[in-house]
């Protein structure tokens, strides 16, 4: 109550400037009077109190210990109240009368802006503590920091400190004085410390950080068992034992009536114990030694066990052991150097890593399924044309490689496994639901041709640059191999075998690899074992001269083996070029095809495919170059070679991709022919039929629509129909056929399939029978294409519009009166069945048709230009919507403020320093003056004294003379 | 340019003439001794300059002109000599004409009149000889130069009237000779140096051409000549902007302001007459296409009454096919410039959208026009919808370059005619409708065979075709087709970016992309490409192998 009252009172008293006129009579009068009055009001002084009253208040004080604090507070407030410059306020008081929820005494509420006196004093104090100390220590080196006990403790009085220090000293001395202590000799006193912490401490619960500081010198490693060098661990253990014993004794003592031992007894006991411990220690040490020796003996075995995976290790170990053996024979420097090198090597050395667990069949299958699933997902993503991020893709590729590698590993596990291991899963590629079957063996697949085997072996193994890194450790790998290597370890074994298998029969000299000259040895088929690596198509033709075309795959395979990238660093480049040449060769052979060459072309294409895995860019460029020549020279007159190349592209590259550097131009070349070619001869129709099939095969997975295909097929049917359609059945362009194209009189022709010979332009007109057979074949093929196109595109939204004309054309073909007499019945049946199935699909598509609802988009917001109003606007706050700019402005303001503050502080510092130096100077001057005066006075005194003595002497002499 | 060139040529000719004149003088002085002796032994070549010089010397040697004309007429015997005689005659007449020797004067003496008449007859003979030269291969162009010099001189000096009188008859003969001449270079020379070089020459030429055609109306004009005339007309320069722009005259600018040569309308009229005369003769199909192609730019502007073209254009427009497409721009020109009211224009336009339209090479041209015709936002949405739907149907069989052009245009139309957007987004209204859809599906309400675009019910249909093209094999086409199912945030597409594509350009765009990133390679190496799977194995043949005979039975 009282305190509160005083507060309100002081409140009034703070503002003498405007309170004075209204102030009560108590406020009038001199400063002293007012002081007295306020003191009285606070109850600090009062009228004289009787003894009884005094006692009461004393009791009260005891009861309320905070009374004194209250008193202090009151005094402080009075002090403030009598210093009008204590506060910084508005000259005319607060500007507005405000109602606030802040406490009445709050300085903001009272219009106080600062306490200049207080802050000044505080800053002064701070400077004195920092700046002044620095000033004084300036130009001084060294010094003693007083770290005695309690030096910095302001709560202790000088006496307390003294007492404390004294007790500590005493205690230390007391400990030292135990002269007979055998174990703890000068433990605490003579211990080395670092940063106030002991270097070797004997407590178990030490900090982790200190372990690092501890010397890791292991005494046990020393051969001599010096008694004095008892290990610290031992000591610690003993100490613990002793403590336990002591505790046990205490318990005993607690249990029994206390019997005081004599000093002698105690000492004897201690000595006995210590001897016993010594013995124990020795025994333990010997035991350890034995164990260690045992371990030393077993070390080589252990090491072998540890570094099992790395066959190089033993040799290295041997190499490392060598210098050790000849240590004696070398000077110390070299030994040290070698040692250092060894240490560094060891540091760089890879740690042994646990081998991967051999996987079970199920796990492998699962892994494989997952990998395929992932590949499939990626394909789908590419098909949708979703942007795959570069890095991500690379990662994925890496993963892919990894998984590939795993595959290969897997293959290694089982030698008997056939090389087609990946093939059967091809079926599973899209479904994934069937689960994975175990792989059929080679014999199951009817594989007996060795060449075939080898090719496929090579085909499955795919190179990759990424795997190269892991090769670095291989011991049997020579340097040149390392630079050119591009396949994983596991594959290497395979390939080595693969290469050796060929070379063992031929010349197995290194020179063959280094300088690939033609050292010809031929096998039973007359195929040389070695070839130069053809770098252009002419070279290839020259090299393969004399090799039957059907044996070209063997030759290619031998070239690939001979110039395997691992054999020479240049081989990679050579093979890249070779793969381009091979593409040209496939086209070349295609142009000069024989009917029985297609298996050859197939395996060559597959070779190209497998090379494409290692040299994707080269192969892609070669294919694109071929497409470019097609576009430039013969966009509408494709040769068989072009057809073969386009087919190979379709199998080598994923045609389902939304965009692909090779597949897209290839598809465009196909559709250009289909769309723009106005067929003149029957061969044009045949070529178009081939391309239609190919286009459909390209789109078999992505099911993209190819308008040109429909156009071509329908136009072909219209052109070959025995009778012209009475009206155009759709919107596809119809070209009037050349004379003699329509089928007539082919009633008895057998329906055959088209072959590539049909695509060649006829030099001389075909015989009527041949022509009829070809026409019938074209019609039957095109009908089949239409049918399978309908199957492929059955889900498309405008299926009905697309295929309704087809149905009309087919029906015309099947049902027109003339066709019955001109078409073979087999063909007519096929056509009408196609028409039926198509019309069935049309009905289905009609059922599935729904109105389009393409625009279920979120409605777009209309742009607003109404300014944004702030409900509680604060002028001090920044409402910059541009975040960066706002941040910048904030930083700038802060910087300005800080700068100003720093300047002010610096100025104050300077002033303080000036003041201090002046003070010091004054003090110095004063001291000097004093000293000067003192000396002067001294001299004067001496002078006076001497003068007096002289006077005295003079007087005495005078007197003597007078006397004498 | 052409004018300047011809000027230079004529100047060079003059210089030559002068030089040869001097040379002949010198020669005359040198062999002055045997001046009188007319020896038959002297070679004819040597006699010609002498004869010419004698004519110049005195009137009594005028008979030499007859000798020279005789020589000049012997084209078949000795062309060189004949031409030399022609040159000499030309020089002679060019001297005589300005001197007024051929001017008929009333006050002249009888003797003079006889001389004048005789000279005129000789001149006519000479002209005939010159015209004969125009069909000679080597000398046609030179002869033409001589003839034109005579024309110029004759126009100025044949009568004593102050302003020139154009020798129409002679010129018409020249034109006929030029047209009928087997020498192509001669016509080119004439076209570049005279028709395009001089405004008055063009005027008189086409006057003569029209006359020529009307004169030969009943005989069948040779196809060759028709082609020649056609090329001549088609390759004309642009129409002069105004009468003031007519400033290049071969003869000279007529004094009179009202003179037809000074009026652009008269000029146009001559060309128009020529065109009409030619068109009445009938044009071949190719020529028609050519005319139609150049209609708006070179043909119609020459017409003072383009309405006269209307029948021609309407006929062409009704022909169908590419001709119709080409006639469209002419018809549009008339509609735009001449306020031609073409009944059922849009029906006709709609009928142009046939199966071959998107495959035609005039596709981009047509689209530019179509864009103009359907540019108005006041057109009924039903009509616009018909066009959209029809083109969408066509797009199902169209080359990628056409689809690329169509779809952005659709977008623009959708933006312009919001009612048509129902073709992209149509939510079934009622529950019954939904149920019916579920149970029966639906047919396309669009009537593709309906010729009237207002009656096709296209607005009730949907653009399934374009949605199908969103899975077009060409990635760019597919992407473009996707714009109709995305939000319509863009104001409009600039059609020019999409119009001029072809297989070639698309391919070029693909091939120009450098292969930098290794392309993705199919992971699985297929076991079989051309060969059939062995019977009994689990793998299935690819489509190619099952439909094509690669000769492997295993």
């Amino acid at each position: 109550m009282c305190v509160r009252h005083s507060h309100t009172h002081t409140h009034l008293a703070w503002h003498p400037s405007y309170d004075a006129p209204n102030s009560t009579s108590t406020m009038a009068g001199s400063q002293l009077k007012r002081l007295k009055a306020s003191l009285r009001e606070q109850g600090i002084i009062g009228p004289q109190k009787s003894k009884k009253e005094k006692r009461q208040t004393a009791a009260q004080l005891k009861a309320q210990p905070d009374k004194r604090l209250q008193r202090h507070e009151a005094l402080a407030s009075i002090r403030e109240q009598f210093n009008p410059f204590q506060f910084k306020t508005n000259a005319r008081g607060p500007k507005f009368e405000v109602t606030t929820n802040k406490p009445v005494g709050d300085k903001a509420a009272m219009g106080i802006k600062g306490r200049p006196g207080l802050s000044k004093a505080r800053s002064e104090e701070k400077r004195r503590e920092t700046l002044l100390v620095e000033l004084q220590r300036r130009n001084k080196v060294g010094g003693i920091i007083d770290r005695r006990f309690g030096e910095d403790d302001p709560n202790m009085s000088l006496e307390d400190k003294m007492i404390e220090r004294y007790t500590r000293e005493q205690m230390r001395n007391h400990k030292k004085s135990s002269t007979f202590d055998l174990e703890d000799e000068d433990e605490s006193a003579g211990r080395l410390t670092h940063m106030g912490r002991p270097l070797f401490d004997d407590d178990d619960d030490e900090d982790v950080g200190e372990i690092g500081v501890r010397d890791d010198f292991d005494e046990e490693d020393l051969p001599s068992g010096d008694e004095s060098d008892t290990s610290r661990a031992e000591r610690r253990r003993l100490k613990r034992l002793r403590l336990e014993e002591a505790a046990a004794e205490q318990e005993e003592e607690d249990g029994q009536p206390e019997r005081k031992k004599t000093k002698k007894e105690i000492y004897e006991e201690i000595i006995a114990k210590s001897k016993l411990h010594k013995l124990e220690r020795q025994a333990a040490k010997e035991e350890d030694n034995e164990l260690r020796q045992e371990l030393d003996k077993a070390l080589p075995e252990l090491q072998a066990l540890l570094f099992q995976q790395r066959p190089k290790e033993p040799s290295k170990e041997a190499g490392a052991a060598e210098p050790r053996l000849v240590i004696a024979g070398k000077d110390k420097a070299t030994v040290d150097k070698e040692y250092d090198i060894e240490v560094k090597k060891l540091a760089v050395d890879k740690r042994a890593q646990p081998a991967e667990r051999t996987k079970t069949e199920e796990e492998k299958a699962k892994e494989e399924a997952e990998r395929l699933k992932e590949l499939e997902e990626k394909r789908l993503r590419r098909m949708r044309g979703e942007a795959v991020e570069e890095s991500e893709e690379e990662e994925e590729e890496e993963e892919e490689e990894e998984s590939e590698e795993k595959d290969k590993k897997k293959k290694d596990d089982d030698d008997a496994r056939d090389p087609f291991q990946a093939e059967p899963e091809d079926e599973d590629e899209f479904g994934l639901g069937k689960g994975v079957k175990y792989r059929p063996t080679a014999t199951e697949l009817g594989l007996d041709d060795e060449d075939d085997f080898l090719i496929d072996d090579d085909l499955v193994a795919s190179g990759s640059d990424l795997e190269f890194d892991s090769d670095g450790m291989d011991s049997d790998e020579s340097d040149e191999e390392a630079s050119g290597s591009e396949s994983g370890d596991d594959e290497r074994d395979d390939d080595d075998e693969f290469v050796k298998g060929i070379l063992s029969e031929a010349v197995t000299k290194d020179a063959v690899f280094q300088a690939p000259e033609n050292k010809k040895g031929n096998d039973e088929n007359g195929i040389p074992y070695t070839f130069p690596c053809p770098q252009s198509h002419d070279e290839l033709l020259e090299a393969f001269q004399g090799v039957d075309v059907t044996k070209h795959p063997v030759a290619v395979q031998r070239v690939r083996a001979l110039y395997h990238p691992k054999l020479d660093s240049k081989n990679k480049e050579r093979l890249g070029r070779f793969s381009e040449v091979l593409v040209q060769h496939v086209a070349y052979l295609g142009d000069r095809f024989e009917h029985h060459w297609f298996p050859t072309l197939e395996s060559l294409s597959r070779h190209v495919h497998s090379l494409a895995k290692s040299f994707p860019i080269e192969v892609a460029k070669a294919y694109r170059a071929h497409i470019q020549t097609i576009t430039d020279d013969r966009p509408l007159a494709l040769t068989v070679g072009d057809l073969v190349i386009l087919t190979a592209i379709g199998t080598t590259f994923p045609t389902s991709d939304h965009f692909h550097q090779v597949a897209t131009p290839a598809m465009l070349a196909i559709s250009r022919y289909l769309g723009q070619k106005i067929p003149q001869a029957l061969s044009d129709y045949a070529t178009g039929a081939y391309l239609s099939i190919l286009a459909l095969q390209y789109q078999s997975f992505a099911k993209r629509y190819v308008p040109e295909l429909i156009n071509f097929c329908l136009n072909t049917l219209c052109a070959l129909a025995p009778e012209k359609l009475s009206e155009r059945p759709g919107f596809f362009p119809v070209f009037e056929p050349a004379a003699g194209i329509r089928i007539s009189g082919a009633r008895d022709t057998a329906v055959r399939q088209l072959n590539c010979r049909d695509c060649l332009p006829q030099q001389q007109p075909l015989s009527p029978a041949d022509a009829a057979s070809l026409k019938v074949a074209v019609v039957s093929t095109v009908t089949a294409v239409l049918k399978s196109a309908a199957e492929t595109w059955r889900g498309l939204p405008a299926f009905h519009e697309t295929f309704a004309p087809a149905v009309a054309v087919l029906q015309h073909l099947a049902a027109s009166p003339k066709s019955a007499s001109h078409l073979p019945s087999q063909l007519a049946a096929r056509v009408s069945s196609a028409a039926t199935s198509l019309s069935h699909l049309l009905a289905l598509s009609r059922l599935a048709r729904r109105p389009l609802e393409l625009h279920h988009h979120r409605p777009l917001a209309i742009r607003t230009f109404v300014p944004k109003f702030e409900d509680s606007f604060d002028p001090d706050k920044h409402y910059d919507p541009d975040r960066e700019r706002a941040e910048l402005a904030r930083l700038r303001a802060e910087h300005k403020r800080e700068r100003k503050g720093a300047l002010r502080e610096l100025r104050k510092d300077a002033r303080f320093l000036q003041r201090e130096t002046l003070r010091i100077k004054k003090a110095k001057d004063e001291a000097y003056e004093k000293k000067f005066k003192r000396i002067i006075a001294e001299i004067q005194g001496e002078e006076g004294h001497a003068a007096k003595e002289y006077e005295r002497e003079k007087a005495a002499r005078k007197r003597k003379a007078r006397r004498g | 340019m052409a004018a300047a060139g011809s000027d230079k040529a004529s100047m060079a000719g003059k210089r030559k003439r002068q030089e040869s004149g001097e040379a002949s003088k010198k020669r005359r002085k040198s062999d002055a001794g045997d001046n009188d002796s007319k020896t038959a032994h002297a070679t004819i070549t040597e006699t010609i300059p002498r004869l010419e010089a004698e004519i110049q010397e005195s009137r009594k040697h005028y008979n030499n002109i007859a000798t020279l004309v005789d020589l000049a007429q012997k084209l078949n015997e000795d062309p060189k000599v004949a031409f030399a005689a022609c040159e000499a005659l030309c020089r002679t007449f060019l001297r005589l004409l300005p001197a007024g020797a051929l001017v008929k004067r009333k006050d002249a003496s009888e003797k003079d009149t006889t001389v004048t008449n005789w000279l005129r007859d000789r001149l006519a003979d000479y002209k005939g000889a010159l015209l004969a030269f125009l069909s000679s291969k080597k000398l046609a162009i030179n002869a033409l130069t001589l003839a034109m010099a005579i024309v110029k001189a004759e126009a100025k000096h044949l009568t004593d009237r102050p302003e020139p009188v154009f020798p129409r008859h002679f010129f018409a003969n020249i034109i006929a000779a030029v047209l009928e001449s087997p020498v192509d270079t001669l016509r080119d020379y004439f076209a570049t140096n005279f028709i395009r070089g001089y405004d008055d020459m063009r005027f008189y030429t086409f006057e003569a051409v029209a006359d020529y055609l009307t004169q030969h109306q009943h005989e069948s004009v040779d196809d060759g000549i028709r082609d020649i005339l056609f090329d001549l007309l088609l390759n004309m320069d642009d129409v002069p902007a105004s009468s003031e722009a007519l400033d290049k005259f071969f003869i000279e600018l007529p004094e009179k302001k009202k003179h037809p040569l000074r009026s652009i309308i008269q000029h146009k009229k001559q060309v128009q007459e020529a065109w009409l005369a030619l068109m009445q003769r009938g044009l071949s199909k190719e020529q028609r296409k050519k005319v139609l192609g150049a209609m708006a730019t070179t043909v119609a502007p020459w017409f003072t009454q383009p309405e006269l073209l209307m029948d021609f254009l309407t006929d062409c427009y009704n022909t169908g096919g590419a001709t119709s497409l080409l006639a469209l721009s002419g018809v549009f020109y008339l509609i735009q410039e001449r306020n031609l009211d073409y009944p059922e224009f849009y029906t006709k336009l709609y009928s142009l959208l046939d199966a071959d339209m998107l495959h035609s090479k005039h596709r981009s041209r047509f689209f530019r026009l179509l864009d103009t015709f359907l540019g108005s936002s006041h057109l009924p949405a039903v009509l616009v919808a018909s066009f959209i739907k029809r083109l969408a149907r066509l797009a199902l069989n169209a080359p990628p370059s056409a689809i690329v052009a169509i779809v952005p245009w659709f977008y623009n139309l959708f933006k312009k005619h919001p009612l048509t957007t129902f073709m992209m987004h149509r939510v079934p209204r009622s529950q019954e409708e939904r149920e019916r859809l579920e149970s029966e599906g639906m047919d396309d309400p669009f009537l593709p065979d309906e010729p009237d675009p207002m009656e096709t019910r296209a607005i009730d249909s949907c653009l399934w075709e374009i949605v199908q093209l969103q899975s077009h094999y060409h990635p760019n086409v597919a992407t473009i087709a996707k714009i109709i199912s995305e939000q319509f945030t863009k104001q409009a597409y600039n059609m020019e970016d999409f119009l001029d594509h072809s297989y070639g350009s698309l391919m070029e765009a693909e091939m120009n992309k450098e292969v930098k990133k290794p392309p993705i390679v199919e992971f699985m190496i297929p076991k079989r490409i051309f060969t059939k799977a062995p019977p009994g194995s689990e793998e299935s043949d690819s489509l190619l192998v099952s439909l094509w005979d690669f000769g492997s039975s295993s």
Side-chain angles (χ1 to χ4, degrees), chain B residues 207-242:
Chain B
E207 192 184 38
V209 164
D211 281 349
Y212 177 84
L213 285 171
T214 39
Q215 271 170 24
H216 297 268
Q217 198 153 27
H218 299 294
E219 324 151 24
S220 62
V221 178
D222 193 14
D223 274 351
I225 294 176
R226 213 171 56 184
D227 289 349
I228 292 160
L229 274 178
F230 178 77
D231 287 340
L232 203 63
L233 281 167
L234 207 61
N235 292 327
M236 282 226 286
D237 291 345
D238 292 342
V239 189
S242 66

Side-chain angles (χ1 to χ4, degrees), chain A residues 892-908:
Chain A
R892 204 174 284 135
E894 196 174 339
H895 172 250
K896 197 177 167 190
R897 199 168 51 239
E898 288 298 319
R899 192 183 139 81
K900 273 170 125 178
L903 277 175
R904 201 185 297 130
E905 286 301 305
L906 282 176
R907 254 180 247 125
K908 278 182 185 166

Side-chain angles (χ1 to χ4, degrees), chain A residues 957-964:
Chain A
R957 281 200 191 157
K958 237 182 217 170
R959 265 180 290 164
K960 218 182 212 176
R962 216 181 288 152
R963 277 178 205 167

Side-chain angles (χ1 to χ4, degrees), chain B residues 350 382 385-386 445-448 450-459:
Chain B
Y350 184 69
V382 180
S386 298
F446 175 65
L447 304 172
E450 171 64 47
D452 185 358
M454 297 300 284
E455 307 287 337
T456 56
R457 299 179 58 203
I459 195 121

Side-chain angles (χ1 to χ4, degrees), chain A residues 640-857:
Chain A
V640 178
D642 300 334
L643 300 184
V644 171
I645 285 289
L646 289 171
T647 317
I649 289 174
T651 55
T652 309
F653 299 104
T655 50
S656 66
D657 284 12
H658 180 70
F659 173 79
H660 192 281
Q661 290 112 306
V662 185
T664 306
M667 186 63 214
L668 206 53
I670 293 174
S671 63
R672 182 177 193 176
Y673 183 90
L674 291 178
Q676 287 203 315
K677 178 75 180 174
I678 298 173
Q680 301 295 336
L682 282 174
S683 62
D684 299 336
Y685 287 106
T687 309
Y690 186 93
L691 289 175
S692 311
I693 303 172
L694 203 55
L696 204 57
Q697 190 166 303
Y698 269 42
Q699 303 305 340
S700 60
F701 184 69
K703 304 200 190 311
R704 296 203 181 89
Y705 177 56
V706 187
E708 287 88 348
L709 187 147
I710 299 284
N711 290 358
F712 177 82
C713 289
L714 294 185
N715 181 47
T716 303
L717 289 183
C718 287
L720 290 177
E723 202 177 3
K724 197 183 173 187
L725 268 81
S726 49
E727 55 179 21
R728 288 173 82 159
F731 292 120
F732 60 94
V734 178
F735 306 112
E736 195 53 36
I741 292 292
R742 292 194 182 282
I743 298 179
S744 65
R747 183 143 177 72
D748 302 323
T749 317
V751 180
R752 65 172 173 98
Q753 280 190 330
L754 286 171
N755 59 48
C756 286
R757 249 180 254 131
D758 299 328
C759 300
L760 297 175
Q762 285 91 17
Q763 302 302 338
Q764 59 259 25
L766 293 168
S767 70
D770 284 348
S773 139
L774 176 52
K775 287 172 195 171
V776 168
V778 168
V779 169
S780 111
T781 310
V782 166
T783 313
V785 169
L786 270 181
K787 203 171 156 185
S788 98
E791 284 296 331
T792 308
W793 295 327
R794 58 189 300 176
L796 290 181
F799 180 85
H800 198 278
E801 284 73 29
T802 314
F803 281 94
V807 172
V809 171
L810 286 174
Q811 273 168 355
H812 165 82
L813 206 57
S816 80
K818 237 183 168 180
S819 54
S821 57
H822 288 289
L823 289 185
S825 54
Q826 196 190 348
L827 180 64
R830 271 191 207 175
V831 169
S832 59
S833 92
T836 333
S837 70
L838 276 192
S839 38
H840 179 64
L841 285 174
L842 284 188
L844 281 181
S845 87
R846 188 195 162 281
L847 263 181
R849 197 205 284 279
R850 300 281 176 277
L852 288 180
E853 297 179 27
L854 295 179
H855 283 251
H856 284 295
H857 298 298

Side-chain angles (χ1 to χ4, degrees), chain A residues 915-946:
Chain A
R915 224 167 32 233
E916 283 303 316
T917 39
L918 190 69
R919 196 176 54 78
I920 290 166
K921 197 167 180 292
K922 266 186 185 163
K924 224 164 134 190
D925 286 356
E926 208 177 328
Y928 178 77
E929 191 83 352
K930 222 175 173 179
K931 193 180 174 187
F932 184 78
K933 274 182 183 159
R934 183 175 56 80
I935 290 168
I936 294 275
E938 235 168 59
I939 292 169
Q940 275 178 344
E942 261 174 41
E943 251 177 22
H945 188 67

Side-chain angles (χ1 to χ4, degrees), chain A residues 379 613 624 671 708 858, chain B residues 473 487 503 513 522-523:
Chain A
R379 173 201 289 281
K613 290 193 167 188
R624 279 167 65 96
S671 63
E708 287 88 348
R858 204 160 52 85
Chain B
Y473 68 88
Q487 232 162 5
Y503 282 107
K513 291 173 192 160
E522 188 77 60
F523 177 68

